[in-house]
């Protein structure tokens, strides 16, 4: 979450332009303010205050940003009793993903994170379910004979690729939530529900791809055909 450096007036936040990396957003370039509009107001707790609408610039990538800061009257920005009211755009910290995850799945997971940080909550929930669906397909669980996501999750747990605890989370936090978005009437989904789905989806990706060789052995012993084996068959053909 973005926070204000009260001494310098800069804002520290995760930057979308820096791929979710933590960065400092500065309000001055070459010693001069980028741009600001200020107005006075009465605060019941602070008394006479100034609300400052300011432009900022990421010190890393140069991306622009907008912040609203309240500070005590009688001084120049940054003043005393600062409080950050709003800041945009703010990226969430990107979750780490194993390097062996297929690029298409990685891209879809990152797009879900982008939707979530831009308050497209339902879109994020649908994409997270899609990541789970594509992961199971890439590991041989989604086939012409078996297209039911519930049964695919059950099979992955039976094969020992995911734990029973992870299976319950895959059903409750990801599959059911995604189905609500895709098939039920519109309703507002709490952001924390989708945040939980994001975290459990990341852990499922780790289950499948963190120790890939061990997982491939489990899949082959269970008679699954992971994406790597299909690529080899295609090359031989």
């Amino acid at each position: 979450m973005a926070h204000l450096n009260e001494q310098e007036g800069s804002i520290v936040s995760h930057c979308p332009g820096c791929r979710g990396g933590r960065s400092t957003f500065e309000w001055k370039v070459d010693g001069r303010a980028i741009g600001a509009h200020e107005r006075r107001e009465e605060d019941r707790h602070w008394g006479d205050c100034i609300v400052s609408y300011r432009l900022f610039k990421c010190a890393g990538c140069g991306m622009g940003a907008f912040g609203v800061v309240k500070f005590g009257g009688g001084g120049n920005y940054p003043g005393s009793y600062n409080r950050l009211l709003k800041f945009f755009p703010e990226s969430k910290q990107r979750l780490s993903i194993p390097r062996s995850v297929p690029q298409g799945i990685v891209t879809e997971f990152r797009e879900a994170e982008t939707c979530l940080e831009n308050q497209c909550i339902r879109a994020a929930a649908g994409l997270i379910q899609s990541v789970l669906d594509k992961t199971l397909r890439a590991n041989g669980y989604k086939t012409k004979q078996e297209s039911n996501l519930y049964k695919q999750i059950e099979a992955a747990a039976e094969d020992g690729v995911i734990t029973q605890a992870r299976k319950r989370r895959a059903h409750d936090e990801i599959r059911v939530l995604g189905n609500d978005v895709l098939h039920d009437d519109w309703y507002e989904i709490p952001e924390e529900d989708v945040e939980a789905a994001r975290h459990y989806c990341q852990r499922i990706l780790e289950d499948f791809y963190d120790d890939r060789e061990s997982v491939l052995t489990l899949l082959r012993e269970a008679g699954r055909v992971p994406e790597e084996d299909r690529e080899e068959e295609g090359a031989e053909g």
Side-chain angles (χ1 to χ4, degrees), residues 54-110:
R54 292 200 165 256
L55 298 178
F56 294 82
K57 179 182 178 182
C58 174
C61 69
M63 181 176 185
F66 173 74
V68 181
V69 182
K70 179 180 285 190
F71 62 101
N76 295 323
Y77 181 87
S80 58
Y81 311 111
N82 286 328
R83 183 157 66 98
L84 180 62
L85 302 180
K86 293 181 181 179
F87 183 72
F88 181 84
E90 180 179 9
S91 173
K92 291 184 180 292
Q93 185 175 13
R94 294 290 193 264
L95 298 179
S96 62
I97 295 177
R99 292 187 177 184
S100 56
V101 177
Q103 187 55 51
I105 294 175
V106 172
T107 302
E108 190 135 317
F109 186 84
R110 296 304 183 204

Side-chain angles (χ1 to χ4, degrees), residues 136 139-142 151-164 167 207-208 214-226:
L136 292 168
N139 286 276
Y141 289 99
K142 184 173 184 177
K151 292 181 179 179
Q152 293 167 40
I153 295 169
E154 293 287 316
E158 289 173 9
D159 293 345
V161 181
I162 61 174
T163 65
Q164 291 297 315
K167 178 188 79 172
D207 290 340
F208 276 98
S214 296
V215 171
L216 286 173
T217 299
L218 283 175
L219 293 172
R220 289 161 182 159
E221 288 175 350
R224 312 295 174 187
V225 184

Side-chain angles (χ1 to χ4, degrees), residues 25 50 101 189:
F25 286 81
I50 295 174
V101 177
I189 293 177

Side-chain angles (χ1 to χ4, degrees), residues 33-51:
I34 299 172
H37 172 73
E38 297 177 349
R39 64 179 175 84
R40 287 188 177 273
E41 68 173 35
E42 284 293 322
D43 187 283
R44 60 176 181 163
H45 299 295
W46 293 0
D48 185 28
C49 295
I50 295 174
V51 176

Side-chain angles (χ1 to χ4, degrees), residues 175-191:
R175 182 184 63 83
V176 172
L177 187 66
N179 283 345
D180 288 348
V181 169
L182 297 173
H183 305 299
D184 290 354
D185 291 339
W186 192 97
Y187 70 96
E188 187 172 347
I189 293 177
E191 183 176 352

Side-chain angles (χ1 to χ4, degrees), residues 15-43:
C15 175
C18 295
R19 298 184 179 181
R22 201 162 181 80
S23 184
T24 298
F25 286 81
E26 301 169 332
W27 63 284
K28 283 185 176 181
V29 174
D30 298 328
R32 300 179 63 181
I34 299 172
H37 172 73
E38 297 177 349
R39 64 179 175 84
R40 287 188 177 273
E41 68 173 35
E42 284 293 322
D43 187 283

